[in-house]
Amino acid sequence: MGQTLTGLLTSVRAIAGRPGTPPRARPGGGPDPELLAALRHCGDHLAALAASGPLTDARRTRLIASIGALTTACSTPGADAFDALLRTGQQALDSGGDAGARLALALADEATVLRARSKGAWRLRGNALDALGRSEEAITAYERHLALQQNAAASRDVERRIATLRAAGDRIDEALALVGGGEGATGAGADAGVVRLSRHLPAADALAAFTELVRLRTAERGAADPAVRRLAALYAEHRRLADRDPMADPLLGGAEPIGVPGLRRFLAGRTVCLVADTPHTAEQEQRPGSSLAALIGGYDLVVRCDAVRHAAPTARTDLHAVTLRGDSPWKGARWDRRATARLVFGDPLPHWRLALRSRLVPGAQDRIGDATLRRPLHDPALLAEAAADADEPASTAFTVLRLLDFLGTPARVDLIGFEGPAALPPREREWIGARTGRTDDTAVRITLR
């Protein structure tokens, strides 16, 4: 990939020029200046990727391939490179991180200049600004998209996102009115002037300012003060809106979204077992009078992971956990196994949302984990670990174990059947071994707590 990346960067620079040189019109009816500028942005991004070392992330690999297709389109006489430009912008957004979002925004800016009435270009610009936390600008771009979009059904997601962003801003406005100031107001007292809160701040800065405002106001007046309680409620609503739309999704089929506090309550004081999906365990579980069936039946919560191929469809499942894998995780089999609660782990957020809407079966679960539970190993609010090597992502069972251990509310957590073909990778077995309370060989049971 290193040589291919270097060769592509050379081709991009040959067509579009190097940093510091303005885009130029090419003789003989070459690419538009906006396309050359877009290629320049792609070249800068490729240079940064080349300097970051070997590439193992499939999303970045797809972005590089998309830049290659855009480069080919720009160097082919008579070719229309606009669609390739939009695809590259979307791949940049899907690659994740601020750098990908900034590239997507730069490409969207060039696309809107090139074709001011392209609804796809304005949608891409709104998505990029949204990903960068620039909510008010994102709303403006989304509204331009809606003005051009004639398909009402295709507009609903954008309309819902606009409503979410506006609702988050409204919570900030109400909080500012509550503390007795206008835009950029702070708490009173000695700390006045420290916090500058505004709906026009980038999302991360607004969240930090909101957090500090609640802290200062609580310290000043106490948590029992009615105004402080309302301020805290507004803060909580603002946090929830950052991860999901304010209205229930009808495609959840009546399932209740639960976050970290709800999952803690669901697990509190209960005995939990994770059951491996192996032919032997499934056969023993279905056999009348089986000691393993009796053992599993004695737990308060039974957890199963991913596609359950061997256990009977009627086998008890209180918590089903699944990790989204592959390039298009929303295209997999639907999750029709009945479970009291279902957790779906995955990133990036748009793919996670689409997978839920595409693969959840109405009535197959009573509760569904919300976006605050979609990446527990790497979420700063939970375990906050560095992302693992893309070649060795964590297993779903290990993610569940780490989450249960972090929450700390189950009375007991056991693993059943995780031996032989179902054994976890060495790194995960090492973590489990360091925390194993005891091992029951007859039941193939590992007790963590």
Side-chain angles (χ1 to χ4, degrees), residues 249-255 334-339 342 356-366:
D249 190 331
L251 296 181
L252 296 186
R334 302 190 77 191
W335 301 310
D336 56 1
R337 174 173 289 271
R338 185 70 178 89
R342 201 177 309 278
L356 258 62
R357 292 174 179 174
S358 302
R359 299 178 65 182
L360 283 179
V361 175
Q365 56 280 313
D366 300 323

Side-chain angles (χ1 to χ4, degrees), residues 233-250:
L234 290 169
Y235 172 74
E237 291 171 14
H238 183 269
R239 288 293 302 267
R240 284 195 295 272
L241 288 166
D243 278 325
R244 67 172 186 260
D245 294 338
M247 62 193 73
D249 190 331

Side-chain angles (χ1 to χ4, degrees), residues 244 248-249 251-260 262-263 266 318-322 324 335 337-345 352-353 355-357 359-374:
R244 67 172 186 260
D249 190 331
L251 296 181
L252 296 186
E256 174 194 356
I258 59 170
V260 174
L263 184 60
F266 180 67
D318 299 296
L319 176 62
H320 177 234
V322 60
L324 301 178
W335 301 310
R337 174 173 289 271
R338 185 70 178 89
T340 305
R342 201 177 309 278
L343 299 179
V344 180
F345 305 130
W352 178 87
R353 283 175 170 155
L356 258 62
R357 292 174 179 174
R359 299 178 65 182
L360 283 179
V361 175
Q365 56 280 313
D366 300 323
R367 300 177 179 89
I368 179 70
D370 68 11
T372 63
L373 289 168
R374 68 184 176 85

Side-chain angles (χ1 to χ4, degrees), residues 264-301:
R264 275 200 174 99
R265 291 191 295 271
F266 180 67
L267 299 167
R270 293 179 157 185
T271 57
V272 181
C273 70
L274 274 72
V275 180
D277 185 45
T278 65
H280 173 73
T281 301
E283 188 272 331
Q284 290 293 316
E285 196 174 357
Q286 296 175 56
R287 179 180 297 177
S290 162
S291 60
L292 184 60
L295 175 66
I296 293 174
Y299 287 90
D300 296 320
L301 295 175

